[in-house]
């Protein structure tokens, strides 16, 4: 029996060696240093679609949320400067007013005292001026002395300063000193031209000097839309060509705007900059505190564009397969800066003239 053992074992070993594959010799494709090589007879080559990379026109754009606000210089909350009682109203809600138009009248002990101080200071100044003129006449006629003239001049300047201070106190409340009459109520006037968008004026109501605003006057023919742009996108804003705004109330309508101001500082918590967009609102469609979407579109520029189907993903980022030679495809890492429709913008990794696999690249992932 032992005579047959060696030949049979040798025969089995021979058969085993003849069935063992020889180092991927029969593989459809192999990979070496990130280059996938297909056999000339591989059917995979017919499944790949290849396209040459070119530069195309690209307009960077992105969207962020925004809120409509009144322009601060065209918005005024009207309060009462003194404690007192409302004795007259001159306006109604929705009425257009001009700068200086009367809004309401308030009878106030505080205003009475301010007016009294003004008239008293005016009278004392006029008297000091008369005394100064008299002393100068006496000196000119050689019956006065220089010292009394100088004292009269000092007294006049002091009284004149007191008069100017009292006059300024009246102007703070937009009360014309020439029109003020002692004992009459204060007429509160509009500090800007616009529309009365809020009216809480009630005749006979007694108000403290820290009362809430009685009326709001605003010119909303132009408004601001305040948006917040992330740190990484700020560089795009500086070259903006157009700004499109879609309000949540009417998303199908596009409103054009222009960038009015970009904040010099970032919000520490959100890492975003405040961007103010000014919009025409002559039709009154935009109302303060409305929300919307702000789409910012940069000027057109040249960029490397490839079909998004060419991109493959891995933990380290995106990559594509480029044609290194016939039936040879090299794996290349790329940086994608944006996606526009079916195209992706490549910031680095490719150049014009490169050939990339745009369809069927997943077949190359099986390379061993």
């Amino acid at each position: 029996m032992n005579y047959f053992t060696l030949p049979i074992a040798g025969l089995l070993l021979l058969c085993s060696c003849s069935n063992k594959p020889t180092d991927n010799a029969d593989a459809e494709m192999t990979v070496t240093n990130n280059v996938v090589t297909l056999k000339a007879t591989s059917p995979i080559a017919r499944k790949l679609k290849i396209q040459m990379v070119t530069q195309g026109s690209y307009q960077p754009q992105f969207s962020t949320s925004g809120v409509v606000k009144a322009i601060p210089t065209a918005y005024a909350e009207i309060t009462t400067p003194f404690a007192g009682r409302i004795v007259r109203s001159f306006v109604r809600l929705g009425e257009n007013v001009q700068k200086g138009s009367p809004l309401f009248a308030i009878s106030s002990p505080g205003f009475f005292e301010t007016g009294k101080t003004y008239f008293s200071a005016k009278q004392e100044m006029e008297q000091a001026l008369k005394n100064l003129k008299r002393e100068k006449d006496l000196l000119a006629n050689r019956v006065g002395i220089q010292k009394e003239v100088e004292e009269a001049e000092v007294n006049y300047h002091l009284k004149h300063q007191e008069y100017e201070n009292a006059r300024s106190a009246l102007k703070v409340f937009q009360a014309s000193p020439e029109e003020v009459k002692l004992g009459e109520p204060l007429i509160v006037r509009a500090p800007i031209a616009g529309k009365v968008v809020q009216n809480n004026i009630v005749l006979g109501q007694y108000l403290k000097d820290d009362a809430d605003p009685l009326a709001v006057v605003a010119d909303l023919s132009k408004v601001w839309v305040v948006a917040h742009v992330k740190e990484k996108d700020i560089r795009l804003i500086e070259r903006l060509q157009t700004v499109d705004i879609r309000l949540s109330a009417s998303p199908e309508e596009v409103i054009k705007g222009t960038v009015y101001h970009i904040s010099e500082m970032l919000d520490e918590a959100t890492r975003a900059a405040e961007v103010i967009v000014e919009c025409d609102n002559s039709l009154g469609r935009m109302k303060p505190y409305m929300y919307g979407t702000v789409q910012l579109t940069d000027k057109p520029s040249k960029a490397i564009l490839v079909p998004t189907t060419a991109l493959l993903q891995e933990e380290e980022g995106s990559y594509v397969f480029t044609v290194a030679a016939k039936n040879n495809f090299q794996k290349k890492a790329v940086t994608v800066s944006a996606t526009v429709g079916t195209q992706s913008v490549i910031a680095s990794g490719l150049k014009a003239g490169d050939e990339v696999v745009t369809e069927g690249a997943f077949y190359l992932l099986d390379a061993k």
Side-chain angles (χ1 to χ4, degrees), residues 4-55:
F4 296 96
T5 302
L6 184 57
I8 294 174
L11 181 61
L12 292 174
L13 180 60
L14 181 61
C15 293
S16 174
C17 290
S18 63
N19 292 331
K20 183 179 179 180
T22 57
D23 298 329
N24 293 332
D26 296 327
E28 292 288 342
M29 51 187 171
T30 57
V31 59
T32 305
N33 295 329
N34 285 331
V35 176
V36 178
T37 302
L38 295 180
K39 288 180 64 175
T41 58
S42 174
I44 293 177
R46 296 192 299 270
K47 299 177 182 180
L48 304 179
K49 185 175 180 180
I50 298 171
Q51 181 175 317
M52 181 176 289
V53 175
T54 59
Q55 277 193 333

Side-chain angles (χ1 to χ4, degrees), residues 296-309:
L296 304 125
T297 305
D298 197 358
K299 294 180 179 179
S301 59
K302 293 293 185 180
I304 298 295
L305 301 173
V306 299
T308 304
T309 54

Side-chain angles (χ1 to χ4, degrees), residues 25-293:
D26 296 327
E28 292 288 342
M29 51 187 171
T30 57
V31 59
T32 305
N33 295 329
N34 285 331
V35 176
V36 178
T37 302
L38 295 180
K39 288 180 64 175
T41 58
S42 174
I44 293 177
R46 296 192 299 270
K47 299 177 182 180
L48 304 179
K49 185 175 180 180
I50 298 171
Q51 181 175 317
M52 181 176 289
V53 175
T54 59
Q55 277 193 333
S57 180
Y58 165 62
Q59 281 187 282
Q61 60 179 224
F62 61 95
S63 297
T64 184
S65 59
V67 60
V68 179
K69 291 188 177 182
I71 299 176
T73 54
Y75 178 90
E77 295 182 342
I78 316 300
T79 59
T80 173
F82 297 105
R85 192 174 301 280
I86 302 296
V87 295
R88 189 173 179 185
S89 174
F90 297 96
V91 294
R92 57 183 177 81
L93 187 65
E95 182 178 347
N96 289 314
V97 296
Q98 299 299 316
K99 181 178 179 179
S101 296
L103 300 177
F104 60 88
I106 180 170
S107 178
S108 167
F111 178 64
F112 175 78
E113 289 298 325
T114 301
K116 183 179 178 181
T117 300
Y118 166 74
F119 284 110
S120 176
K122 182 179 180 181
Q123 185 177 17
E124 291 178 2
M125 181 198 68
E126 291 173 347
Q127 184 61 45
L129 181 59
K130 289 180 181 178
N131 291 338
L132 176 60
K133 289 181 178 180
R134 186 180 69 240
E135 293 297 336
K136 286 183 175 180
D137 287 341
L138 291 174
L139 182 63
N141 292 310
R142 303 189 179 198
V143 293
I145 58 177
Q146 182 64 34
K147 181 180 179 181
E148 290 181 351
V149 173
E150 292 174 353
E151 290 177 350
E153 286 180 339
V154 171
N155 183 56
Y156 169 72
H157 287 304
L158 290 175
K159 296 302 180 182
H160 183 268
Q161 186 60 52
E162 291 176 0
Y163 165 76
E164 290 297 333
N165 291 340
R167 182 181 175 86
S168 297
L170 286 176
K171 287 185 174 181
V172 167
F173 310 112
Q174 295 190 3
S176 174
E178 291 74 18
E179 297 178 359
V180 170
K181 294 181 180 179
L182 193 61
E184 290 192 353
L186 168 66
I187 297 178
V188 178
R189 300 178 182 275
I192 61 172
K195 181 181 290 187
V196 179
V197 297
Q198 183 176 325
N199 186 353
N200 296 321
I201 302 171
V202 179
L203 289 178
Q205 181 181 10
Y206 182 83
L207 301 168
K208 296 182 180 180
D209 54 9
D210 60 349
D212 292 335
L214 289 180
V216 174
V217 176
D219 179 3
L220 300 178
S221 59
K222 289 185 178 180
V223 294
W224 284 352
V225 175
V226 179
H228 293 87
V229 177
K230 291 296 184 181
E231 183 177 5
K232 65 181 180 65
D233 296 321
I234 292 177
R235 62 183 179 84
L236 299 178
I237 306 173
E238 298 171 352
R239 307 190 304 268
L240 282 181
Q241 187 176 46
T242 59
V243 178
D244 293 337
I245 297 167
R246 289 178 171 83
L247 299 175
S248 299
S250 53
E252 71 287 345
E253 184 178 7
V254 177
I255 300 171
K256 296 292 183 180
T258 57
V259 175
Y260 177 83
H261 180 71
I262 302 172
S263 174
E264 286 79 10
M265 299 183 64
L266 295 183
D267 184 280
E268 186 176 2
T270 62
R271 307 301 303 169
E274 184 179 81
V275 177
I276 298 175
V277 179
E278 187 170 283
C279 301
D280 177 75
N281 190 40
S282 53
L283 298 179
R285 296 168 296 182
M286 308 178 75
K287 302 183 183 302
Y289 306 112
M290 275 186 167
Y291 284 95
T293 299

